[in-house]
Amino acid sequence: MPGVLVFSEKDEFALDLLPKSAALAKQLEMELNVAILGPAAKSRATQYFARGASKAYISENELFTEFDAKVQSQALFEIAEVSQAEIMLLVSTKRGKEIASSLAQMLGAGCITNALDIKVEDSKLVASRYGLGGTTIVSEYIETPKKVIAVIPQTFETIEVKSSDGQVIDVDLKLDKPEVKVIERKERKRESVDIEKTDVLICVGLGLKQKEDLGLIQELANAVGGEIGCSRDLASSLGWLSEDRIVGMSGKRCKPKVVFSIGISGQSQHVAGIVGAKTIAAINNDKNAPIFRVADYGILADLYEAVPLLTKRLHNMLKS
Amino acid sequence: MRIVVCAKQVVDLAQIRMNRETREPILSGIPLIIGDIEKNVLEEATRIKEQHKAEVIALSIGWPQPDGTILECLGRGADRAVMLADPIFETLSSTGVATVLAKAIEKIGDYALILLGEGSTDNNSGQVGPMVAQILGLPLVSYARQLEIVEDKVRIVKGLEDCFETAEASLPVVVTVSAEINEPRIPTILDVMEASSKPQESWSLGDIEISREELEQHHSVKVLSNQYPEQTRKNILFQEELGKSVDSLLQNLVKEGVLER
Ligand SMILES: Cc1cc2nc3c(=O)[nH]c(=O)nc-3n(C[C@H](O)[C@H](O)[C@H](O)COP(=O)(O)OP(=O)(O)OC[C@H]3O[C@@H](n4cnc5c(N)ncnc54)[C@H](O)[C@@H]3O)c2cc1C
Ligand SMILES: Nc1ncnc2c1ncn2[C@@H]1O[C@H](COP(=O)(O)O)[C@@H](O)[C@H]1O
């Protein structure tokens, strides 16, 4: 039976994707299978069965101890063959995108990465993703017999799991040694903030003149009990805040009750991270800043005047 | 050492407007410019050239003809450039773009380093780099934030979501770079003047021995729609005296129940 094959280099992401994949496989009358690579693959399979997988194609080959995109895509290529997979559903992490692209090339398959959603329409598998740098939503489908789609992590609702059985198939893979050698790995310093969960998000951008002025933003955040997020450049080029706080297409997608956008122009790649907010309030001193076109409320002002005043009023308001 | 830089021409995103009836982007008449990440790619190639003996060749495929992008590449340090223009490129999927790039890279020949962006400014799919590596049978190192040539190897710091990895691979190699890798210089007037006198070539599909039929196979991803998302924002701009504006904002936020009193 033709199948849907789900894989991620991280179990948790593959598991998140499984319930949705199961629903799609059912609609397409296909079997839902998974690939699990690396140490303890066999024992990891139970969690996959609990979320709807029929068969787990596993390999504990020692080449998987270190991640190598080419080795993994080669493995998936072989598993796609033995499992009769027509649709490969992967997770659009940075590594996942490397795997998806290499695999698609090997399979001669069309490929969609950064999918925001997938659904079956007229018996076609239709995926949506951002187009034109986050400005638009593109809806598209793949025409080749085999299809590779990588979905943004944690896109779908998780469901309750029920234990269930499946078949473990240990595949003997013919793999080439990796060509790229990893010499060192440094874990990123993780901040304990979780800007995706906060109700009030204060987003700050390049309207800020110097790092020291972050104090103003912090005082506002304290006054409303919010978390600070930022535009990409403030973190990645200037390094004033950690990259965990970047909001947008290449950062976090947030759904707070309210976001205060401060000194941010509102370019599409950033806005993609706040469209899920219930209310958007923006402070900018440029009347033509695009952020005003996507905001509910805007204040046309210098942030250095507006933010302290806002903080003061909030203090009074929340005290009374 | 020969470095090939793949540069994509994109529409100027800042100038696109929405058709209010169809919610589709109005693309006609919007200027085509070089992508943002391409500037980082060229800066990195130029930086390598300043340290090692290297020749930088820019490669761009597109439709309409990516000549503006090619000129920009030459102004940003490329020594010569190759472009391919054909209407078929307009709807080509990533596998097709990668196929054409790989063929052109083979024809350029004698390459040590092939540099691409980690994701293009418009699509940001991140597919083309890995696909080019796959077709050429070369090692791939993606998401480079630091790049160093050490004898016949590249040493690269990759930025991943949860870690930084230092990776090493032998030349020739395909590398995709992240925006964090450098701060692109702004070309001087002299750079711009010199650019137009540098060698440029325009190749056709015949030059890289690829048939139209073969490329037709790569129209594998079909777009059903491309629209601005529904926008239901209020777009109220307060521009009174600042104190009043702040009060109005807060009153509204409280009324909506998004701020707890
Ligand atoms: C592939 C790709 C992915 C990207 N992903 C992301 C992403 O995930 N997140 C992201 O944020 N960006 C992303 N970007 C970058 C994005 O395109 C913009 O460059 C970035 O968002 C701009 O940041 P900014 O608004 O802070 O800066 P700017 O665009 O420089 O805007 C600064 C704003 O501050 C205002 N200002 C200046 N002084 C004051 C003052 N005193 N008071 C009030 N206002 C003031 C100005 O009017 C201006 O509107 C991405 C880009 C690409 C190409
Ligand atoms: N038409 C093109 N011409 C030259 N290079 C391209 C083209 N399309 C994509 N690339 C390269 O591939 C990178 C990633 O593009 P993408 O896979 O679309 O995100 C770009 O930054 C370019 O370096």
Side-chain angles (χ1 to χ4, degrees):
Chain A
M1 185 153 120
V4 175
L5 185 72
V6 174
F7 173 78
S8 169
E9 76 285 357
K10 271 212 169 87
D11 284 336
E12 54 172 309
F13 292 149
L15 294 171
D16 277 344
L17 185 57
L18 268 180
K20 177 75 176 185
S21 311
L24 294 169
K26 200 168 158 200
Q27 271 179 289
L28 295 164
E29 296 176 31
M30 290 191 186
E31 193 171 59
L32 179 66
N33 300 318
V34 297
I36 309 174
L37 306 176
K42 191 170 176 194
S43 60
R44 285 150 57 201
T46 5
Q47 323 163 57
Y48 285 77
F49 296 141
R51 286 168 182 79
S54 305
K55 295 189 192 122
Y57 292 84
I58 66 148
S59 169
E60 299 185 350
N61 193 310
E62 60 187 29
L63 284 181
F64 298 128
T65 325
E66 275 292 335
F67 177 90
D68 184 89
K70 277 215 171 166
V71 175
Q72 301 231 345
S73 31
Q74 209 179 357
L76 290 174
F77 177 74
E78 290 181 38
I79 292 174
E81 174 93 30
V82 293
S83 68
Q84 289 184 279
E86 279 184 9
I87 295 167
M88 264 51 65
L89 292 182
L90 310 179
V91 179
S92 219
T93 56
K94 288 187 171 181
R95 286 172 160 154
K97 281 190 268 192
E98 285 183 89
I99 301 173
S101 315
S102 310
L103 176 63
Q105 187 61 47
M106 283 188 228
L107 290 166
C111 182
I112 297 172
T113 45
N114 301 320
L116 298 160
D117 194 12
I118 20 174
K119 56 187 166 216
V120 179
E121 263 172 28
D122 300 331
S123 66
K124 285 192 194 80
L125 196 57
V126 177
S128 55
R129 62 168 173 91
Y130 286 118
L132 298 173
T135 315
T136 57
I137 307 278
V138 177
S139 219
E140 56 191 10
Y141 67 95
I142 300 173
E143 281 203 319
T144 46
K146 298 212 184 326
K147 303 159 176 57
V148 178
I149 301 180
V151 184
I152 290 178
Q154 295 166 321
T155 292
F156 302 113
E157 300 286 320
T158 47
I159 52 141
E160 251 182 77
V161 299
K162 44 179 186 288
S163 77
S164 154
D165 273 344
Q167 189 187 351
V168 174
I169 299 161
D170 199 335
V171 273
D172 185 21
L173 299 168
K174 283 160 214 65
L175 302 170
D176 297 330
K177 292 232 158 57
E179 300 160 311
V180 179
K181 203 167 95 196
V182 177
I183 306 170
E184 192 191 23
R185 177 171 300 119
K186 260 200 247 142
E187 295 306 314
R188 284 206 191 201
K189 277 194 237 90
R190 287 256 136 210
E191 269 199 282
S192 57
V193 295
D194 198 349
I195 58 167
E196 287 153 298
K197 300 252 164 71
T198 184
D199 277 344
V200 182
L201 181 67
I202 320 287
C203 268
V204 58
L206 296 184
L208 212 64
K209 294 195 178 70
Q210 47 182 0
K211 188 177 178 190
E212 289 66 37
D213 302 340
L214 277 170
L216 286 176
I217 308 297
Q218 188 61 55
E219 282 168 27
L220 173 60
N222 294 346
V224 281
E227 290 288 353
I228 300 178
C230 62
S231 66
R232 184 182 71 177
D233 307 40
L234 201 82
S236 56
S237 307
L238 298 174
W240 293 356
L241 286 168
S242 102
E243 290 181 21
D244 292 326
R245 293 186 190 266
I246 298 175
V247 173
M249 213 164 75
S250 36
K252 305 267 169 66
R253 291 185 296 153
C254 303
K255 298 188 175 83
K257 284 188 182 155
V258 56
V259 47
F260 291 92
S261 173
I262 296 166
I264 286 183
S265 58
Q267 290 175 53
S268 53
Q269 294 98 346
H270 174 79
V271 171
I274 56 169
V275 285
K278 185 158 181 284
T279 302
I280 299 177
I283 298 175
N284 199 302
N285 62 1
D286 174 5
K287 192 169 192 290
N288 295 316
I291 192 76
F292 288 136
R293 293 201 291 270
V294 296
D296 294 288
Y297 305 107
I299 294 183
L300 179 66
D302 186 330
L303 75 89
Y304 287 90
E305 291 170 22
V307 171
L309 192 62
L310 183 61
T311 305
K312 202 166 136 212
R313 296 278 159 98
L314 274 162
H315 264 304
N316 294 341
M317 187 175 101
L318 300 173
K319 242 187 349 209
S320 63
Chain B
M1 181 173 56
R2 182 174 280 177
I3 305 173
V4 179
V5 166
C6 299
K8 185 178 181 183
Q9 163 173 287
V10 298
V11 289
D12 186 351
L13 298 177
Q15 297 198 39
I16 305 176
R17 294 286 170 269
M18 179 180 78
N19 176 326
R20 282 177 186 281
E21 266 151 49
T22 61
R23 305 201 67 80
E24 285 169 358
I26 305 171
L27 296 173
S28 69
I30 306 286
L32 295 161
I33 56 172
I34 190 168
D36 289 337
I37 192 77
E38 276 64 16
K39 297 177 188 166
N40 299 98
V41 178
L42 283 156
E43 174 66 37
E44 201 55 23
T46 306
R47 207 187 54 80
I48 298 168
K49 197 168 77 172
E50 285 162 356
Q51 289 170 4
H52 305 267
K53 214 164 132 0
E55 178 196 23
V56 177
I57 303 175
L59 171 62
S60 184
I61 71 161
W63 186 261
Q65 179 126 287
D67 43 1
T69 291
I70 284 296
L71 206 58
E72 182 92 27
C73 291
L74 293 168
R76 289 177 179 271
D79 299 299
R80 63 189 181 91
V82 173
M83 68 183 134
L84 279 98
D86 195 292
I88 200 171
F89 297 155
E90 213 168 13
T91 46
L92 218 49
S93 58
S94 300
T95 50
V97 173
T99 304
V100 176
L101 290 175
K103 282 275 190 185
I105 292 166
E106 269 171 347
K107 185 173 157 93
I108 291 169
D110 198 27
Y111 44 80
L113 187 59
I114 296 160
L115 293 179
L116 302 94
E118 68 160 304
S120 55
T121 303
D122 52 354
N123 276 337
N124 194 29
S125 84
Q127 295 175 18
V128 174
M131 287 172 176
V132 167
Q134 187 62 42
I135 300 170
L136 294 174
L138 296 182
L140 163 75
V141 189
S142 312
Y143 315 110
R145 292 195 168 205
Q146 268 179 50
L147 189 159
E148 221 186 319
I149 308 273
V150 192
E151 291 162 16
D152 59 345
K153 290 197 172 82
V154 278
R155 182 173 298 157
I156 282 169
V157 178
K158 299 179 61 167
L160 296 164
E161 286 92 343
D162 51 358
C163 65
F164 294 104
E165 270 180 8
T166 308
E168 223 175 59
S170 298
L171 301 174
V173 61
V174 174
V175 176
T176 75
V177 311
S178 294
E180 290 83 5
I181 196 167
N182 57 37
E183 205 51 68
R185 275 166 270 193
I186 295 165
T188 63
I189 294 172
L190 192 65
D191 292 334
V192 176
M193 274 167 28
E194 277 176 0
S196 49
S197 58
K198 289 180 177 175
Q200 307 181 17
E201 282 175 62
S202 186
W203 293 353
S204 67
L205 291 181
D207 291 323
I208 54 168
E209 287 165 32
I210 201 163
S211 70
R212 225 158 262 284
E213 293 70 45
E214 185 186 344
L215 275 189
E216 287 296 343
Q217 307 289 312
H218 294 282
H219 283 111
S220 53
V221 183
K222 289 271 191 277
V223 173
L224 289 170
S225 65
N226 178 19
Q227 285 178 309
Y228 281 74
E230 284 298 330
Q231 222 258 75
T232 51
R233 301 288 173 187
K234 299 194 179 68
N235 298 144
I236 298 171
L237 186 61
F238 302 117
Q239 34 188 335
E240 313 123 89
E241 186 259 312
L242 187 59
K244 274 201 192 129
S245 295
V246 169
D247 286 340
S248 310
L249 171 66
L250 289 176
Q251 275 161 18
N252 277 286
L253 294 181
V254 170
K255 206 163 67 195
E256 287 189 13
V258 294
L259 265 195
E260 309 277 321
R261 290 198 71 141

